Amino acid sequence: MPCLRRSLLTALGWYAYTRTHTALAPADYASLRIGDTEAEAGRGLPGRAVTDPPVERAPGPPPPGADCRYYRASPELFVSVDHFRVCFLDGRLVSKSVVPTLRTTEQHIREEEKEWVR
C-alpha cells in the first residue's frame, strides 16, 4: 500500500508540475507580435509546452512547415482551460491563436439562447 500511495503522490505531483509550468499568462500572449524572432518571443514563453495539445479544437490548421507549440492559458488544476498556439517558421513568429476550452452542451445551449434573445 505505501508503494501505491507514493506512486499516486508522484503522479499527482507531476500533473501539477506540468500544468503550472506550461501556462502562458494572457498578458504575455498578448505581447507576442507576428514577426518577432523566436528569441524575442521566447523570453515570455514558459520553459515547457504542453505534451498533449488540443489540436482538434484549434481554430484552423497551423501554417505549413511551422513549428507550433501549445501553452495553457491558466495554471489552474483539474479544469479545462483555453490554450494558446504559437507557431514559428524560419525563426520568426508567423501565427498565434487561442484554442478554446471544451464547453459543455449546457453552456453552449445557454450561450445560443442568449444570442436568440437579442
Side-chain angles (χ1 to χ4, degrees):
M1 198 60 140
C3 189
L4 177 61
R5 188 176 312 140
R6 189 171 339 139
S7 296
L8 182 59
L9 288 174
T10 300
L12 183 60
W14 181 248
Y15 173 84
Y17 176 83
T18 59
R19 294 306 188 257
T20 57
H21 285 79
T22 58
L24 174 60
D28 290 335
Y29 171 78
S31 71
L32 296 173
R33 300 286 175 247
I34 301 299
D36 282 353
T37 66
E38 199 164 346
E40 291 167 336
R43 285 192 287 268
L45 297 177
R48 301 177 56 88
V50 298
T51 57
D52 56 343
V55 294
E56 69 284 351
R57 294 191 322 258
D67 171 30
C68 296
R69 300 171 203 152
Y70 293 78
Y71 301 97
R72 293 172 54 85
S74 169
E76 291 179 87
L77 301 177
F78 308 113
V79 296
S80 182
V81 299
D82 290 344
H83 284 72
F84 298 126
R85 179 178 73 186
V86 296
C87 301
F88 296 93
L89 183 64
D90 297 328
R92 297 258 176 209
L93 181 64
V94 294
S95 173
K96 67 180 211 173
S97 53
V98 176
V99 180
T101 188
L102 285 173
R103 295 184 303 174
T104 65
T105 303
E106 283 183 24
Q107 288 173 319
H108 184 69
I109 290 170
R110 282 194 301 268
E111 289 172 10
E112 283 186 354
E113 287 173 348
K114 287 179 187 176
E115 289 298 315
W116 293 336
V117 173
R118 289 184 188 185

